[in-house]
Amino acid sequence: MNTGFMVIFRRDLLVAIRHRGDLANPVIFFFIVIVLVPLGLTPESSKLSEIAPGILWVMALLASLLSLDSLFQNDYDDGTLEQIIILPQPLYFMVLAKIIVHWLVTGLPLSLLAPILGMMLSLPDAGYPALVLSLLMGTAILSLLGAVGAALTLPLGKEGLLLPLIVMPLYMPVLIFGANSVQLAINGFSVIGPLATIGSLLALSLIVAPYVTAGALRLSIQG
Amino acid sequence: MNTGFMVIFRRDLLVAIRHRGDLANPVIFFFIVIVLVPLGLTPESSKLSEIAPGILWVMALLASLLSLDSLFQNDYDDGTLEQIIILPQPLYFMVLAKIIVHWLVTGLPLSLLAPILGMMLSLPDAGYPALVLSLLMGTAILSLLGAVGAALTLPLGKEGLLLPLIVMPLYMPVLIFGANSVQLAINGFSVIGPLATIGSLLALSLIVAPYVTAGALRLSIQG
Amino acid sequence: MWQWFHRLASPRWFYQASGKFLPWISMLGLFFISLGLVWGLGFAPQDAKQGNSFRIIYIHVPSSFLALVGYYIMAAAGAIAIIWKIKLADMVMKAAAPIGAAFTFVALLTGAIWGKPTWGTYWIWDARITSMLILFFLYLGVIILQSSYEHKGLSSKAAALLALVGTVNIPIIYKSVDWWYTLHQPATIRFTEAPSMHPDMFQPLLVMIVGFYFLYAIALVASIRVEILHRERRTKWVQDLVFTNKNNDP
Amino acid sequence: MSDTNAFASNSSLMGILTLRDIEFHRNENLLFSGINASLEFGDILQIEGPNGSGKTTLLRLITMALSPYLGEITWQGENVTYIRERYLKNVLFLGHQPGLNESLSAEENLIWWRRLNKSNSLSDSDALKRTGLIKYKSIACSHLSAGQVRRAALARLHVAEAKLWILDEPFSALDKEGSRELKILILDHLNRGGIVVLSTHHDLEIKNMKRISLVSSRQAC
Amino acid sequence: MSDTNAFASNSSLMGILTLRDIEFHRNENLLFSGINASLEFGDILQIEGPNGSGKTTLLRLITMALSPYLGEITWQGENVTYIRERYLKNVLFLGHQPGLNESLSAEENLIWWRRLNKSNSLSDSDALKRTGLIKYKSIACSHLSAGQVRRAALARLHVAEAKLWILDEPFSALDKEGSRELKILILDHLNRGGIVVLSTHHDLEIKNMKRISLVSSRQAC
Ligand code: HEM
Ligand SMILES: Nc1ncnc2c1ncn2[C@@H]1O[C@H](COP(=O)(O)OP(=O)(O)OP(=O)(O)O)[C@@H](O)[C@H]1O
Ligand SMILES: Nc1ncnc2c1ncn2[C@@H]1O[C@H](COP(=O)(O)OP(=O)(O)OP(=O)(O)O)[C@@H](O)[C@H]1O
Ligand SMILES: [Mg+2]
Ligand SMILES: [Mg+2]
């Protein structure tokens, strides 16, 4: 395996584990936000079950998005990024490692937790496999595309919510296919179509996103 | 007026204006998230109109919450906070000034924008006054309680979403009364009751929150 | 009076005194819980509608009780720690958070398990259930905040501040969730007010509740003792305790 | 754990600012103890010692940003914890971090700081001129070089009226000219009857300077 | 806008690292121009000049972190832009910022850095011992003092095998002992045939040191 990849992978995982609390945070955020929905909307399970697929997907998207802020920020602030970028290693792999760690600590647990939340929102039984599968792939896409946004907004400082603004449009296709696959499954249709689409989106962003991110990072230290 | 209050008020407003883009960000975030909802849920206006009050309130809450991260973070990082805290001025007013500016650049525009988004979600006509009024007061409470959370999590670094976990339970009453006042208005009931409740919650948090925040800030620089 | 208070508040004194009464409350707790369990699970009559599944009530209700009581104990300890700067209160607060969270979790879990046979679903958005979940979040917030600070003195102060804000909020949260629920009047099954229970079912429940109070006390005292040993590990009396066994403490 | 040669014996005479038997523990490890000093108006105290010996910590204790500690810090004979506000009116603290908002210019930062501190009559642009920043006064601080940021922070010394300056490594990142100017500024302040407490690794060569030498404390870990 | 006394005439002889007529504009303002230097193995180049004159900027140009610029930087006769990877294998850059993750300890940070850089055989704990951090090696960097953070960053110099060190104010925040040790470390590196380019306001008193003196450029704004 590529050295840069392995080193950054292990380092970022170590940092994530060091911040023990933080590991659980996107998951807790997801959980809490889902609880907000019945409180704001309605406790009736018949109504909740109708909106459950969409709500679960929108909130998973938000949870993943919000944890992106810090993907490169600390490295940027403490000078690590500047020094990593001038290493004689392909930046692509180092960026990929960071993104994968991000997914491991956000997207993966989110997807695994989703069924419990689905249950709380009375998601019909038929929806669960599609929910988990679409979230597993979908959150990976979110991490990949989100990294592009995080890199682009890096020199602009932490304040503000510019990042969501930039990545949200990119997220829309994932959201549409993801939420609809769950809806289709509930209605008894085959979900192979939308899941295959998500899969190919994933493949595409896996190839493109780290490159673009690497480019954006190079720009970010030119300030 | 108290000097500390006025100085910090003008300074924070200046910083907000300097980051021109950031001023608009919570609003744009609110806007985008609301657009996501029909995509993920359903485009049918009859269904949207049912969930509109809840969704608008939940998303306004999120938008306000997410902009809290940076309320004290920059001042903490660049050493300003440490130097402000040891000034011979009551910290209460300086904290209050920061919170009010936060509300001015997030809660206020959000509340004013909400009717447009309500329209997009087919919110019934009767709901608008209650929506705006409840959001105006409610977002102020969110800024106040959120400041407590932001101050408590300050020394823990930017990573992670601990802040939402801490403040979300505190937000729940506001959400319930806010969203339900809109629902009541739509159903033709009087909204004086819930709005009065929100008002008294606002009064309570106006007194308590800045004190607790000031205490938490004093802790934060002890590290 | 004050002397007594401060003596009580001294970790060392507490450690030694609690060493003496811990075995007693343990025995009492064991007694009540086994009595309640045997009575409730073995001898209490079956429920007419729910059959045997209702028997989970003997865990569910007591833990729900302690979940709430535990929060107030924690917050009170936090307040004392902040206002009077008493070390022991600090440790009580630190120990009470995970214990309270555990009871809350058990209440939620047993409730959910119970819900499946009774309502056909693990979860409904009932007012009390929802506020229980929010309480769980409050606990989690305190615990995570506490463990995220590395500086010990700060972590307990920060957590105490949060617990205090939470205390102001708990009644508000409960009121609002209640109001929210009655407002909506959902058609689904309602979480009935204390069903007029047959005394044969009710008496073992009372015994279990008493038993759970003891259980809570045991858990609290035991983890405070661990915390005392940890924090005072540098002091002479702890060193003596650990290295020479001359202290006749159990 | 630390030795001090700063007028420990004098403390009965009671200076304006005195430190008496200061002792501080970080996470239960002793960092320093037995710190004594007594300063009159016009005195300067340098806190020196190797990296990690506790200079920054001691300065932050004196500014009341950090607590609790053992011992007593007094201002005009009164324990500072009891006269917090009155004491802090006299204090100007510049730490490692500049305390400047990155998105505001040096001038804007100076303006709001001077409004919070009691300040003398020197105008903001005069202060910036004296720190050599006048050409950069309206550039956001995030676009300044390391030394320029330091100068922008030091500009507050020109406008403040505080008697007691507490400076944590004020010379870092300054060029030679900047260091020379800062030294003059400090001497002026002393001549006007001010008190300066600073930490620095430089040799300042100021007459009658008092010193506290901290020693590296960490023995076992 | 800047004068240089560093072997401008020599550039035809072609050193290992050469700067030829470097000129840089920031936001269309000229920062410096006509920078020339030529370094052989064993050479050290100090970049000096007042605050804001462009030292940091020039160092970042040499590390290829910043571009574009006019002129040419060559390594063993080849323009570095064409041999990026090969050139950067020889470079170790320590900037103003330490490049240490705050939540990891000094040792953990060192470990992952050495895995990324080509590194020599010195063990991590030996490196930390030499920087005087061994007692603190497992403490999170956010809990270190300013000088300790600097030392943790400098520990990379001990384990790296890079020929060309580029150091931006490496002496800042170091105590006297630390400065002395760093100077020895630099001299050792030179003796082993390394090249050092650094910016500092200190007088280093190293023989045969080459210098580039930048002058303050901003005239109108
Ligand atoms: C996850 C789901 C559940 C949660 C979080 C929950 C929570 C609670 C709480 C907070 C109490 C109140 C304790 C008190 O006020 O003293 C309680 C009591 C009780 N629960 Fe549950 N519960 C759940 C599910 C259920 C289910 C499914 C049943 C059976 C139908 C049930 C039956 C009872 C009864 C009979 C009591 C005691 C009587 C009373 O005080 O009302 N609970 N539970
Ligand atoms: N990010 C930036 N954006 C715009 N201008 C900048 C930026 N950083 C520095 N400058 C400007 O470029 C010039 C050179 O800065 P540089 O940091 O290279 O100076 P320096 O010689 O390293 O100074 P110092 O001695 O203070 O470290 C300064 O006038 C500064 O104002
Ligand atoms: N936030 C912190 N948490 C825990 N320990 C700390 C923290 N900051 C500093 N320390 C420790 O306290 C000791 C003293 O630190 P301090 O910053 O006061 O040193 P210093 O004398 O200013 O050093 P320097 O010359 O490097 O600035 C150091 O050993 C350091 O490891
Ligand atoms: Mg220091
Ligand atoms: Mg520089």
Side-chain angles (χ1 to χ4, degrees):
Chain A
M1 202 64 216
N2 176 289
T3 337
F5 181 90
M6 284 313 295
V7 174
I8 300 289
F9 184 82
R10 288 164 65 171
R11 166 184 180 270
D12 275 27
L13 216 49
L14 188 62
V15 173
I17 292 168
R18 223 14 89 70
H19 281 242
R20 248 161 296 138
D22 292 356
L23 263 184
N25 281 336
V27 174
I28 293 174
F29 177 82
F30 187 37
F31 207 93
I32 293 189
V33 173
I34 294 288
V35 173
L36 288 182
V37 172
L39 287 179
L41 290 160
T42 167
E44 285 172 61
S45 55
S46 61
K47 288 205 182 138
L48 284 177
S49 85
E50 262 180 51
I51 56 169
I55 290 289
L56 283 169
W57 248 99
V58 170
M59 297 306 180
L61 187 152
L62 284 181
S64 160
L65 171 70
L66 297 171
S67 55
L68 277 171
D69 255 3
S70 57
L71 185 53
F72 303 113
Q73 190 71 53
N74 284 344
D75 290 347
Y76 180 78
D77 289 344
D78 67 21
T80 304
L81 192 65
E82 182 174 57
Q83 299 182 23
I84 280 183
I85 284 179
I86 61 162
L87 287 176
Q89 309 254 4
L91 195 50
Y92 177 92
F93 287 107
M94 298 197 265
V95 168
L96 187 62
K98 289 191 93 68
I99 296 175
I100 290 179
V101 172
H102 179 260
W103 180 76
L104 283 179
V105 302
T106 60
L108 180 63
L110 274 183
S111 312
L112 300 181
L113 182 78
I116 298 176
L117 292 170
M119 221 174 281
M120 294 176 71
L121 294 183
S122 318
L123 184 77
D125 288 347
Y128 291 93
L131 179 68
V132 176
L133 279 179
S134 66
L135 276 179
L136 277 177
M137 291 193 290
T139 49
I141 305 178
L142 301 184
S143 294
L144 284 160
L145 295 180
V148 177
L152 283 172
T153 55
L154 200 48
L156 308 180
K158 285 140 287 193
E159 285 185 69
L161 298 164
L162 184 57
L163 174 59
L165 176 60
I166 288 185
V167 296
M168 220 65 111
L170 304 177
Y171 278 6
M172 297 224 172
V174 189
L175 172 68
I176 293 174
F177 286 107
N180 284 343
S181 70
V182 185
Q183 199 62 63
L184 283 177
I186 293 174
N187 299 343
F189 297 103
S190 155
V191 293
I192 295 183
L195 286 187
T197 315
I198 298 181
S200 37
L201 286 179
L202 177 57
L204 184 68
S205 32
L206 205 51
I207 297 169
V208 177
Y211 268 116
V212 182
T213 307
L217 289 179
R218 287 220 173 79
L219 278 185
S220 76
I221 59 158
Q222 299 285 316
Chain B
M1 202 61 218
N2 178 289
T3 339
F5 180 90
M6 282 315 294
V7 174
I8 299 290
F9 183 82
R10 287 164 66 170
R11 166 185 180 269
D12 274 27
L13 216 49
L14 188 61
V15 172
I17 292 167
R18 225 11 90 68
H19 279 244
R20 247 160 295 138
D22 290 356
L23 263 184
N25 281 336
V27 174
I28 295 173
F29 176 84
F30 187 38
F31 207 90
I32 292 186
V33 173
I34 295 287
V35 173
L36 283 183
V37 171
L39 286 180
L41 289 161
T42 166
E44 285 172 60
S45 60
S46 64
K47 286 203 183 142
L48 282 180
S49 83
E50 260 182 52
I51 56 171
I55 290 288
L56 282 169
W57 247 99
V58 169
M59 296 308 176
L61 189 153
L62 283 181
S64 160
L65 171 69
L66 297 171
S67 55
L68 276 172
D69 256 2
S70 56
L71 185 53
F72 304 111
Q73 191 72 52
N74 284 344
D75 289 347
Y76 181 77
D77 290 343
D78 66 21
T80 304
L81 192 65
E82 181 174 58
Q83 299 182 22
I84 280 184
I85 284 179
I86 60 162
L87 287 176
Q89 309 255 1
L91 194 50
Y92 177 92
F93 288 106
M94 297 197 264
V95 168
L96 187 63
K98 290 192 91 68
I99 297 176
I100 290 179
V101 172
H102 179 261
W103 180 76
L104 283 180
V105 302
T106 61
L108 181 63
L110 275 183
S111 313
L112 300 181
L113 183 77
I116 299 175
L117 293 171
M119 227 174 278
M120 294 171 65
L121 294 182
S122 324
L123 184 78
D125 289 347
Y128 291 94
L131 179 69
V132 175
L133 278 179
S134 66
L135 277 178
L136 277 177
M137 291 192 290
T139 49
I141 305 179
L142 301 184
S143 294
L144 284 159
L145 295 180
V148 176
L152 282 173
T153 54
L154 198 49
L156 308 180
K158 285 138 288 192
E159 286 185 70
L161 297 165
L162 182 57
L163 175 58
L165 170 63
I166 287 183
V167 297
M168 218 69 109
L170 309 179
Y171 278 6
M172 298 215 168
V174 188
L175 172 67
I176 290 174
F177 285 106
N180 285 333
S181 70
V182 184
Q183 197 65 62
L184 283 178
I186 293 174
N187 299 343
F189 296 102
S190 155
V191 292
I192 296 181
L195 286 186
T197 314
I198 297 182
S200 37
L201 287 181
L202 177 57
L204 183 68
S205 30
L206 206 51
I207 297 169
V208 177
Y211 267 116
V212 182
T213 308
L217 289 179
R218 287 221 173 81
L219 280 185
S220 75
I221 60 157
Q222 299 282 316
Chain C
M1 165 66 198
W2 272 106
Q3 228 168 7
W4 172 83
F5 187 70
H6 273 277
R7 210 159 56 108
L8 184 69
S10 126
R12 179 180 180 182
W13 182 86
F14 180 87
Y15 186 86
Q16 282 156 357
S18 67
K20 298 205 180 80
F21 65 75
L22 192 56
W24 294 100
I25 57 171
S26 305
M27 266 151 60
L28 278 173
L30 199 67
F31 168 74
F32 276 105
I33 286 180
S34 22
L35 177 68
L37 279 179
V38 171
W39 192 353
L41 300 187
F43 295 96
Q46 267 198 3
D47 187 83
K49 278 177 280 170
Q50 304 178 17
N52 275 323
S53 71
F54 95 95
R55 293 186 198 278
I56 202 170
I57 197 179
Y58 296 118
I59 310 281
H60 173 74
V61 174
S63 37
S64 310
F65 252 81
L66 265 303
L68 198 61
V69 173
Y71 194 91
Y72 281 100
I73 293 178
M74 177 182 80
I80 294 175
I82 280 197
I83 298 168
W84 288 290
K85 302 197 165 56
I86 290 176
K87 265 203 230 163
L88 185 61
D90 213 74
M91 303 181 194
V92 173
M93 138 127 218
K94 178 153 190 231
I99 298 174
F103 277 99
T104 316
F105 185 73
V106 169
L108 285 169
L109 194 69
T110 51
I113 293 170
W114 196 2
K116 192 64 181 175
T118 356
W119 303 329
T121 168
Y122 287 108
W123 187 265
I124 57 162
W125 295 96
D126 171 88
R128 254 192 312 179
I129 299 184
T130 306
S131 35
M132 203 68 179
L133 185 61
I134 299 174
L135 182 67
F136 185 59
F137 288 147
L138 279 172
Y139 270 124
L140 272 191
V142 172
I143 293 171
I144 295 188
L145 189 64
Q146 206 165 41
S147 64
S148 301
Y149 276 85
E150 289 164 49
H151 189 298
K152 288 176 212 89
L154 297 188
S155 74
S156 48
K157 275 186 201 144
L161 276 181
L162 180 61
L164 284 180
V165 177
T167 328
V168 179
N169 259 272
I170 279 189
I172 300 175
I173 291 173
Y174 274 71
K175 267 271 164 309
S176 61
V177 174
D178 226 35
W179 184 80
W180 158 75
Y181 181 71
T182 44
L183 182 82
H184 282 278
Q185 290 286 357
T188 39
I189 335 89
R190 287 204 56 179
F191 192 33
T192 45
E193 281 306 305
S196 42
M197 228 184 268
H198 193 279
D200 286 348
M201 296 178 180
F202 190 61
Q203 282 154 2
L205 182 61
L206 274 184
V207 173
M208 277 304 273
I209 290 178
V210 174
F212 263 62
Y213 267 102
F214 277 110
L215 186 63
Y216 182 88
I218 296 164
L220 191 63
V221 171
S223 51
I224 293 171
R225 283 166 61 87
V226 173
E227 182 70 16
I228 289 177
L229 285 190
H230 181 70
R231 287 205 199 172
E232 312 250 310
R233 64 186 178 281
R234 303 271 166 83
T235 60
K236 188 166 175 312
W237 71 272
V238 173
Q239 303 268 327
D240 286 350
L241 193 71
V242 176
F243 294 115
T244 69
N245 229 348
K246 69 183 172 205
N247 197 314
N248 55 5
D249 205 72
Chain D
M1 281 276 174
S2 92
D3 62 329
T4 157
N5 44 13
F7 290 57
S9 52
N10 242 8
S11 68
S12 56
L13 291 176
M14 217 34 137
I16 300 299
L17 177 74
T18 62
L19 312 181
R20 221 163 342 152
D21 273 332
I22 305 294
E23 173 170 340
F24 185 77
H25 298 252
R26 227 189 235 290
N27 289 330
E28 298 170 18
N29 293 314
L30 179 69
L31 189 56
F32 46 70
S33 64
I35 302 290
N36 287 288
S38 170
L39 301 174
E40 301 295 332
F41 286 125
D43 274 355
I44 177 169
L45 170 67
Q46 177 180 6
I47 296 171
E48 51 182 22
N51 292 137
S53 56
K55 300 180 293 300
T56 300
T57 309
L58 182 54
L59 290 178
R60 293 184 69 218
L61 291 182
I62 301 176
T63 62
M64 301 185 73
L66 203 60
S67 60
Y69 52 90
L70 300 178
E72 193 181 39
I73 300 176
T74 63
W75 177 256
Q76 300 185 323
E78 286 171 283
N79 188 320
V80 293
T81 26
Y82 306 134
I83 53 160
R84 185 185 159 88
E85 297 240 329
R86 192 141 49 84
Y87 168 60
L88 288 176
K89 276 215 178 74
N90 298 291
V91 172
L92 183 80
F93 171 53
L94 296 184
H96 266 299
Q97 303 288 10
L100 302 171
N101 188 294
E102 288 216 325
S103 36
L104 301 183
S105 68
E107 189 177 25
E108 285 162 340
N109 272 301
L110 188 58
I111 288 175
W112 73 264
W113 268 121
R114 85 176 292 158
R115 288 216 189 100
L116 283 181
N117 286 124
K118 233 170 95 187
S119 64
N120 63 23
S121 57
L122 192 71
S123 80
D124 293 314
S125 37
D126 281 340
L128 290 171
K129 208 172 282 164
R130 293 196 193 172
T131 49
L133 275 184
I134 195 71
K135 284 182 258 161
Y136 299 84
K137 70 173 184 170
S138 41
I139 293 178
C141 285
S142 58
H143 288 188
L144 296 180
S145 78
Q148 288 168 335
V149 168
R150 170 65 53 186
R151 284 160 180 261
L154 291 172
R156 281 171 62 199
L157 296 180
H158 287 280
V159 301
E161 245 191 7
K163 280 257 166 283
L164 173 59
W165 290 358
I166 301 182
L167 311 174
D168 198 1
E169 309 221 18
F171 293 93
S172 84
L174 287 185
D175 56 21
K176 293 203 186 97
E177 183 61 18
S179 301
R180 212 177 50 79
E181 285 165 7
L182 177 58
K183 192 175 154 189
I184 293 173
L185 186 64
I186 289 175
L187 288 174
D188 275 357
H189 183 61
L190 297 176
N191 284 338
R192 283 194 311 268
I195 304 181
V196 176
V197 181
L198 51 71
S199 79
T200 172
H201 299 296
H202 280 57
D203 287 319
L204 278 186
E205 292 158 14
I206 292 178
K207 288 199 306 258
N208 296 330
M209 189 162 69
K210 299 180 178 182
R211 282 167 208 271
I212 290 182
S213 299
L214 299 174
V215 294
S216 200
S217 67
R218 193 112 178 179
Q219 297 313 341
C221 173
Chain E
M1 281 277 173
S2 93
D3 64 326
T4 158
N5 45 11
F7 289 57
S9 52
N10 242 11
S11 69
S12 56
L13 289 177
M14 216 35 136
I16 300 298
L17 176 74
T18 62
L19 312 182
R20 220 158 348 145
D21 273 333
I22 304 294
E23 173 171 340
F24 184 78
H25 299 252
R26 228 190 233 291
N27 293 331
E28 297 169 16
N29 295 313
L30 179 69
L31 190 57
F32 46 70
S33 64
I35 303 288
N36 286 289
S38 169
L39 301 173
E40 301 297 331
F41 286 125
D43 274 355
I44 177 168
L45 170 68
Q46 177 181 6
I47 296 172
E48 50 182 23
N51 292 137
S53 56
K55 300 180 292 300
T56 300
T57 309
L58 181 55
L59 289 177
R60 294 183 68 218
L61 291 182
I62 301 176
T63 62
M64 302 186 71
L66 203 61
S67 59
Y69 51 89
L70 299 179
E72 193 181 40
I73 300 176
T74 64
W75 178 255
Q76 299 185 325
E78 286 172 282
N79 189 320
V80 294
T81 26
Y82 306 135
I83 54 161
R84 185 184 160 88
E85 296 241 329
R86 191 140 49 84
Y87 167 60
L88 288 176
K89 276 214 177 75
N90 296 291
V91 173
L92 183 78
F93 171 53
L94 297 184
H96 266 299
Q97 304 289 9
L100 303 171
N101 187 293
E102 288 216 327
S103 36
L104 301 183
S105 69
E107 189 178 26
E108 285 162 340
N109 272 301
L110 188 59
I111 289 176
W112 73 264
W113 268 120
R114 84 176 292 158
R115 290 218 187 97
L116 283 181
N117 287 123
K118 234 170 91 188
S119 65
N120 64 22
S121 56
L122 193 73
S123 80
D124 293 315
S125 37
D126 281 340
L128 290 171
K129 209 171 280 163
R130 294 196 193 173
T131 48
L133 276 183
I134 194 73
K135 284 181 255 160
Y136 300 83
K137 68 174 184 169
S138 41
I139 293 177
C141 285
S142 57
H143 288 188
L144 296 181
S145 77
Q148 288 168 336
V149 168
R150 171 65 54 185
R151 284 159 180 262
L154 292 173
R156 281 171 61 200
L157 296 179
H158 286 280
V159 301
E161 251 196 357
K163 280 257 167 281
L164 172 59
W165 290 359
I166 302 182
L167 311 174
D168 197 1
E169 310 221 18
F171 292 92
S172 84
L174 287 185
D175 57 22
K176 292 200 188 97
E177 183 60 19
S179 301
R180 211 177 51 78
E181 284 165 6
L182 177 58
K183 192 174 154 192
I184 293 174
L185 187 65
I186 287 175
L187 288 174
D188 276 358
H189 183 62
L190 297 177
N191 285 339
R192 283 195 310 269
I195 304 180
V196 175
V197 181
L198 51 70
S199 79
T200 172
H201 299 297
H202 279 57
D203 288 320
L204 277 185
E205 292 159 14
I206 292 178
K207 286 198 309 256
N208 296 330
M209 189 163 71
K210 300 178 177 181
R211 283 168 207 270
I212 292 181
S213 299
L214 299 174
V215 294
S216 198
S217 65
R218 193 112 178 179
Q219 298 312 342
C221 174

